[in-house]
Amino acid sequence: ALPEHTPAEMAERMKAALQPTQHRILQLIGREVAEQAGVAYVVGGFVRDLFLAPSPSDTPPVHAAPGNNFDLDIVLEANAIDFALHIQEKFGGRVVTHRQFGTAKWILNDRDAPLKLPLLLSALALDESDLALPPSLDFVTARTEFYTEPTALPTVESSNIKLDLHRRDFTINTLALCLTPLRWATLLDFYGGVSDLEKGLV
């Protein structure tokens, strides 16, 4: 049987799967998005894999070594580009945007656009010796998309998390965990992903 998916259980599994810097960054993103009247989620394969570990202590880390890409799918019920620009203004770094798809990349290792490290360390409640930042973080606006013809690029419209998850390939990849402080690690499972994991269905 799969583990209980209470927020406390999922929070424990998420903490076990992440390095301290990664865990604190997700907490920071959840707080900052909430202050902008939005909601942030981590979705997809990372959430699925939390269910596949027998116990929190057996949850495989996202990355064994610091400095690798922080390969998590972070979806915002908010404008991801506006949020990335907000967090850049607050903590430094550089932002690259793709307005057609409502996505933004916050680059943390650009020497020409340094981080405001004391402010970031304070926000993460970490010492510099404990900091292991990824090169960048990607933010995606919750969206729905449709195709006007088979070979065309999709037309993208901002949406909510339920519709964003609906467009994903398999039910087991439609799981999401909320990053908002008051709803931290609350699981969203609109499409039966946990049940399909339990049955071994893809």
Side-chain angles (χ1 to χ4, degrees), residues 137-202:
L137 290 166
D138 293 302
F139 305 114
V140 179
T141 304
R143 67 189 195 261
T144 187
E145 54 190 38
F146 57 91
Y147 295 81
T148 56
E149 54 187 80
T151 58
L153 289 173
T155 299
V156 175
E157 294 181 354
S158 61
S159 185
N160 56 44
I161 188 65
K162 185 174 184 179
L163 289 176
D164 186 277
L165 295 172
H166 183 264
R167 66 185 179 80
R168 294 170 188 268
D169 50 4
F170 302 112
T171 58
I172 59 174
N173 290 332
T174 63
L175 302 172
L177 289 175
C178 187
L179 303 180
T180 299
L182 293 177
R183 295 171 53 204
W184 177 259
T186 297
L187 178 73
L188 302 186
D189 180 18
F190 296 114
Y191 305 108
V194 173
S195 174
D196 285 347
L197 277 174
E198 185 105 43
K199 297 171 185 173
L201 298 176
V202 175

Side-chain angles (χ1 to χ4, degrees), residues 18-39:
L18 295 166
Q19 296 171 357
T21 299
Q22 296 170 336
H23 189 252
R24 299 286 178 87
I25 284 177
L26 289 186
Q27 291 177 320
L28 174 65
I29 290 167
R31 291 197 307 270
E32 291 289 331
V33 174
E35 288 177 8
Q36 301 295 307
V39 185

Side-chain angles (χ1 to χ4, degrees), residues 98-118:
H98 297 281
R99 294 195 176 274
Q100 181 180 358
F101 298 105
T103 64
K105 182 184 291 288
W106 184 30
I107 299 172
L108 307 177
N109 63 353
D110 189 332
R111 293 181 180 178
D112 296 327
L115 292 168
K116 300 174 184 178
L117 201 54

Side-chain angles (χ1 to χ4, degrees), residues 57-72:
S57 61
D58 294 320
T59 304
V62 174
H63 297 293
N68 290 326
N69 284 322
F70 190 35
D71 190 18
L72 293 183

